[in-house]
């Protein structure tokens, strides 16, 4: 059935559902996550740091109160909160040559954050920074990471360009021992670990990928020495006479394709599944307005955004964007249905969700028709799935890029690139000669904890975290793991799991960890550990909930649904969040840490 017909039959839900299933079925594949490969051999340099020259130093063989592994926003906000709590003997250990994490590595042209800077950039009030725009570009975010590090003295004593190779608990001394690729052997009373959920670049396992003879790189290691230009937006002048291919059309590709379309001689976009592209509407932030904000504004904005983004009510929508629009529509429809006499049941909620989603996706598909001139390109760019099946994207130039004469959309009808040879790419039996091939193929999700972090963590009795979590993450609050004393994990899972604003999860975790470490130091406790009972109770509560994107068998495959493969306990646990939602979690954890009882933890 043609897309136009389905559009016309919007009221006919079953036709739309059938179209969604048809598109999903084209993309289902038996190898699921295994279709991706690690960058080895010809691509092993993709794990290197292209941004700084490595300088040699003496190994560190000392001890600190708190070692923080990972210098992204997880490590920075934890370090900041610890310093604020008077814990000063801290060392952040980071593989990159500077702080920033994802924003250190991802310098591709057009990189920006889809979450409004007023809520995404942590500690704005503490550091006195005014974001330049509603949504800011990567260099400003990287700069903000550096600002936090400077403001809280986190460069002092840091170990940058240092990759942890092993983390081991020493029961005799109640200390963690951290081994690194610099020959360090750092002892730490406490370790906080924020290694990032989307950290390790992955490549599509397309036959022949190793044989490509032109320039090839991953978006998270952009090779400006080849393309010309810089992360600040200068044109990539060296591409003017090049035939450039890009594989992938996810959130990253959506941001860099408009820049490539302008600068490349010819651009070939190899698409397997189109992203949903909603309105961006960026604008500068006015200093006069910013100065009128009262102390404590960022916390109010954070709670307002989280509330509206997760279906709650607030008098005003402070951020007012595509994220809050999605959930406000669903919420308002539930209210309207209830007002019209519907019973408050899961079926009412589901119907409201489906109706709102159909409406939103119809708008998104209509936007493609309104912007893209070429009819067949427009048809191919329409997403046929529910908006939250994949990472929603927001952009005002992406679709326009397909009106550039040198930009060619090579739609693979859900099948992906067929094979790669020395001089280019094959799709449906047709060869495309390329000088350069860019992989916008994403990051490892769902592989083992150690593989994604780049090192193994060994707790009490020689048990590794990968073994402990082989059947899924097990923790209390997403932070504490039994048999891994004095270790704190920083990430969204098993806590608030607020996906639309990751940094809020991290800032809350940092504050919690700082309170615990402060308490342990004040009490003279050498060990802090979650009891087995408390951890199990938390996990049981999470398992009683269906609250996750995962599990939607109707969705087109992607990393939100285990690439379309069956979703078991492991996948559910890894993506679970507090059943009552992020705002309830933030209230719960604030009360938990401020009472000073730290229920569920044992201080010895
Ligand atoms: P994704 O994993 O989202 O996208 C990978 C892309 O590669 C998909 O389009 C995928 O297609 C495609 N692909 C994989 N294999 C093939 C193949 N064989 N042939 C053709 N295409 C193929 O990675 P991204 O880097 O785009 O994004 C990762 C995440 O990073 C986002 O989901 C988001 O969470 C985060 N991000 C956040 C931003 C922000 O604003 N804060 C900005 C950018 C990224 P298919 O869809 O069919 O699998």
């Amino acid at each position: 059935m043609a897309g136009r017909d389905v559009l016309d039959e919007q009221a006919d839900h079953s036709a739309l559902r059938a179209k969604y299933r048809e598109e999903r079925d084209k993309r289902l594949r038996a190898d699921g996550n295994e279709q991706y490969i690690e960058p080895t051999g010809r691509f092993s340099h993709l794990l290197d740091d292209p941004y700084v020259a490595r300088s040699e130093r003496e190994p560190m063989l000392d001890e600190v109160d708190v070692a923080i592994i990972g210098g992204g926003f997880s490590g920075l906000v934890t370090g900041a909160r610890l310093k604020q709590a008077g814990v000063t003997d801290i060392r952040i250990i980071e593989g990159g040559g500077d702080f920033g994490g994802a924003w250190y590595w991802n310098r591709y042209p057009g990189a920006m954050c889809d979450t409004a800077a007023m809520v995404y950039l942590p500690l704005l009030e503490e550091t006195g920074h005014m974001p330049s725009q509603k949504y800011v570009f990567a260099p400003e975010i990287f700069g903000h990471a550096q600002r936090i590090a400077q403001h809280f003295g986190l460069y002092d004593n840091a170990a940058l360009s240092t990759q942890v190779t092993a983390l081991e608990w020493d029961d005799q001394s109640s200390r963690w021992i951290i081994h690194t690729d610099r020959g360090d052997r750092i002892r730490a009373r406490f370790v906080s670990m924020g290694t990032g959920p989307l950290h390790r670049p992955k490549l599509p396992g397309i036959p022949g990928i190793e044989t490509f003879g032109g320039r090839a790189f991953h978006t998270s290691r952009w090779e400006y020495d080849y393309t010309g230009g810089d992360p600040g937006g200068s044109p990539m002048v060296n591409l003017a006479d090049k035939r450039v291919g890009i594989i992938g059309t996810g959130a990253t590709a959506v941001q860099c394709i408009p820049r490539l379309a302008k600068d490349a001689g010819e651009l070939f976009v190899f698409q397997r599944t189109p992203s949903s592209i909603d309105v961006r509407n960026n604008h500068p932030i006015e200093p006069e307005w910013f100065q009128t904000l009262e102390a404590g504004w960022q916390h109010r904005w954070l709670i307002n955004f989280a509330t509206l983004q997760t279906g709650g009510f607030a008098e005003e929508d402070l951020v007012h964007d595509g994220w809050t629009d999605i959930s406000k529509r669903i919420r308002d429809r539930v209210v309207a249905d209830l007002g019209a006499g519907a019973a408050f049941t899961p079926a009412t909620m589901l119907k409201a969700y489906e109706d709102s989603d159909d409406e939103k996706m119809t708008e998104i598909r209509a936007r493609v028709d309104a912007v893209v001139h070429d009819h067949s390109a427009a048809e191919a760019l329409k997403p046929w799935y529910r908006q939250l099946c994949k990472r929603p994207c927001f952009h005002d130039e992406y679709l326009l890029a397909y009106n550039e004469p040198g930009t060619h959309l090579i739609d693979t009808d859900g099948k992906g690139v067929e094979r790669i040879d020395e001089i280019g790419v094959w799709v449906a039996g047709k060869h495309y000669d390329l000088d350069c091939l860019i992989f916008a193929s994403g990051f490892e999700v769902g592989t083992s904890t150690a593989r994604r972090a780049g090192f193994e963590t060994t707790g009490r009795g020689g048990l590794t975290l990968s073994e402990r979590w082989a059947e899924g993450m097990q923790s209390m609050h997403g932070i504490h793991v039994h048999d891994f004393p004095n270790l704190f994990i920083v990430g969204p899972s098993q806590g608030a799991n607020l996906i639309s604003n990751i940094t809020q999860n991290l800032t809350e975790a940092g504050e919690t960890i700082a309170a615990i470490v402060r308490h342990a130091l004040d009490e003279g406790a050498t060990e802090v550990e979650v009891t087995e009972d408390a951890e199990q109770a938390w996990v049981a509560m999470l398992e009683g909930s269906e609250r996750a994107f995962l599990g939607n068998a109707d969705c087109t495959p992607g990393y939100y649904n285990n690439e379309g493969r069956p979703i078991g306990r492991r996948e559910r646990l890894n993506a679970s969040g507090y059943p009552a939602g992020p705002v309830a979690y933030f209230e719960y954890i604030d009360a938990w840490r401020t009472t000073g009882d730290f229920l569920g933890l044992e201080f010895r």
Side-chain angles (χ1 to χ4, degrees):
M1 183 184 289
R4 172 67 52 193
D5 295 338
V6 175
L7 205 67
D8 291 340
E9 292 172 28
Q10 177 57 37
D12 185 350
H13 284 224
S14 60
L16 194 58
R17 294 282 99 73
K19 172 71 176 165
Y20 283 9
R21 272 195 302 278
E22 183 194 323
E23 292 292 330
R24 175 205 61 188
D25 291 350
K26 277 184 199 170
R27 291 169 173 83
L28 286 174
R29 41 193 291 167
D31 52 2
N33 216 5
E34 298 301 313
Q35 67 183 281
Y36 290 102
I37 56 170
E38 287 189 88
T40 53
R42 152 131 177 47
F43 297 114
S44 54
H45 68 285
L46 290 185
L47 297 176
D48 296 344
D49 184 346
Y51 309 124
V52 291
R54 184 183 155 111
S55 56
E56 293 310 314
R57 65 163 172 79
E58 289 300 308
M60 296 176 176
L61 306 168
D62 54 355
E63 177 165 324
V64 291
D65 276 346
V66 187
I68 297 177
I69 302 177
F73 280 132
S74 314
L76 289 168
V77 295
T78 306
R81 292 301 189 215
L82 282 163
K83 288 266 175 129
Q84 286 177 316
V87 181
T88 53
D89 187 15
I90 296 172
R91 171 172 299 145
I92 300 190
I93 307 169
E94 163 58 44
D98 205 337
F99 293 110
W103 303 104
Y104 174 81
W105 297 110
N106 285 281
R107 303 185 187 194
Y108 58 85
M112 69 186 310
C113 185
D114 278 346
T115 303
M118 294 286 280
V119 288
Y120 180 79
L121 294 182
L123 312 182
L124 282 175
E125 286 192 84
E126 288 86 338
T127 55
H129 178 64
M130 181 193 85
S132 63
Q133 304 189 72
K134 182 167 182 178
Y135 304 93
V136 290
F137 284 91
E140 184 169 341
I141 307 175
F142 178 32
H144 188 61
Q146 294 170 313
R147 181 178 299 110
I148 294 174
Q150 262 146 15
H151 186 89
F152 291 97
L154 299 171
Y155 279 103
D156 309 340
N157 209 24
L160 300 173
S161 295
T162 300
Q163 174 62 45
V164 171
T165 51
L167 177 61
E168 290 166 356
W169 173 250
D170 176 30
D171 227 3
Q172 299 294 313
S173 61
S174 297
R175 295 288 186 271
W176 284 99
I177 317 248
I178 302 155
H179 302 267
T180 77
D181 65 350
R182 301 293 194 140
D184 303 318
R185 196 169 183 280
I186 302 162
R187 295 160 61 81
R189 293 170 73 123
F190 301 98
V191 170
S192 170
M193 199 156 82
T195 49
L198 296 162
H199 167 65
R200 208 175 152 85
K202 68 184 183 197
L203 295 175
I206 299 167
I209 186 172
E210 285 276 333
T211 64
F212 183 65
R215 191 74 169 229
F217 55 88
H218 188 271
T219 46
S220 68
R221 303 288 192 280
W222 197 271
E223 299 189 359
Y224 283 103
D225 62 330
Y226 172 78
T227 62
D230 59 39
S234 310
M236 294 176 280
V237 288
N238 303 346
L239 294 183
D241 59 350
K242 300 283 187 301
R243 290 167 65 89
V244 178
I246 182 165
I247 295 185
T249 48
T252 297
V254 164
Q255 295 180 342
C256 65
I257 282 169
R259 301 286 173 101
L260 286 169
K262 278 205 172 64
D263 296 343
E266 283 196 85
L267 176 66
F268 298 84
V269 179
F270 297 100
Q271 171 180 273
R272 189 165 68 179
T273 311
S275 281
S276 69
I277 316 292
D278 205 353
V279 174
R280 158 91 310 154
N281 258 340
N282 205 5
H283 58 76
I285 290 185
E286 300 298 334
E288 298 74 32
W289 169 80
F290 190 76
Q291 275 155 20
T292 64
L293 297 171
E294 287 170 17
W297 69 263
Q298 198 177 24
H299 184 70
R300 283 194 298 280
W301 277 63
L302 285 165
I303 295 300
N304 181 269
F305 181 69
T307 301
L308 289 169
Q309 212 285 300
T310 54
F313 290 89
E315 272 184 20
E316 199 184 347
D317 182 355
L318 294 168
V319 169
H320 189 67
D321 70 355
W323 289 108
T324 55
D325 182 49
I326 299 170
S327 37
K328 279 193 308 187
R329 283 182 193 226
I330 302 170
R331 182 201 68 189
D332 291 348
R333 211 173 269 264
V334 172
V335 172
D337 289 352
L338 293 179
F344 188 66
T345 60
T348 305
M349 303 282 285
L350 183 65
K351 183 175 176 313
Y353 166 59
E354 289 190 348
D355 288 350
S356 313
D357 193 69
D358 291 353
E359 180 186 276
K360 169 59 90 178
M361 291 306 281
T362 302
E363 286 172 17
I364 283 174
R365 289 187 286 264
R367 187 175 185 227
V368 181
D369 277 328
V371 176
V372 179
H373 300 157
D374 180 84
H375 177 71
S376 63
E379 283 303 306
L381 285 163
K382 289 178 188 170
W384 294 102
Y385 48 81
R386 291 183 188 166
Q387 192 180 25
L388 295 180
C389 282
K390 279 192 175 291
R391 171 63 151 71
C393 296
F394 309 89
H395 215 283
D396 293 338
E397 290 86 38
Y398 175 71
L399 294 170
L400 284 168
Y402 295 96
N403 295 338
E404 297 278 345
T407 301
H408 315 283
L409 177 67
I410 313 301
D411 182 52
T412 65
D413 196 26
K415 294 181 192 68
V417 168
E418 202 171 283
R419 69 191 157 92
I420 297 177
D421 65 17
E422 215 171 297
I423 53 167
V425 158
W426 290 87
V427 173
K430 189 167 176 207
H431 189 265
Y432 298 88
D433 284 1
L434 298 174
D435 299 303
C436 169
L437 185 53
I438 300 167
F439 297 107
S441 45
F443 303 88
E444 286 195 18
V445 179
T447 51
S448 85
T449 311
R451 181 167 144 176
R452 277 179 295 126
F455 61 91
E456 187 56 276
T457 302
T458 309
R460 180 177 288 129
L463 181 74
T464 67
L465 201 53
S466 295
E467 288 164 348
R468 185 68 213 285
W469 286 357
E471 297 309 314
M473 185 177 178
Q474 308 265 334
S475 79
M476 181 175 85
H477 303 164
I479 297 177
H480 314 278
V481 187
H482 185 66
D483 281 328
F484 294 80
N486 295 9
L487 177 72
F488 311 109
I489 314 284
V490 184
S493 295
Q494 302 202 344
N497 206 22
L498 179 64
I499 298 301
S500 56
N501 191 15
I502 293 291
T503 52
Q504 191 175 0
N505 304 271
L506 312 178
T507 312
E508 287 290 330
E511 192 150 343
T512 306
I513 292 163
I516 296 164
V517 171
R518 181 71 270 161
H519 183 76
L521 293 176
D522 290 347
E523 298 292 305
T526 50
E527 290 187 15
V528 181
E529 187 177 359
V530 61
T531 66
E532 205 171 352
D533 286 351
E535 184 187 283
Q536 280 178 12
W538 189 260
V539 171
M541 180 194 60
L542 299 172
E543 286 199 281
S545 153
E546 284 297 318
R547 195 193 143 258
F549 297 147
L550 282 172
N552 192 336
D554 295 342
C555 276
T556 192
Y559 78 84
Y560 278 9
N561 73 341
N562 196 25
E563 299 294 340
R565 302 295 300 149
I567 290 158
R569 181 168 188 241
R570 180 174 185 271
E571 290 75 28
R572 266 180 219 290
L573 279 173
N574 290 349
S576 56
Y578 194 61
V583 178
Y585 176 82
F586 294 139
E587 282 166 7
Y588 159 82
I589 203 71
D590 184 44
W592 182 88
R593 69 180 168 237
T594 43
T595 58
D597 295 337
F598 303 108
L599 279 179
L601 295 188
E602 240 174 34
F603 291 78
R604 296 186 283 262

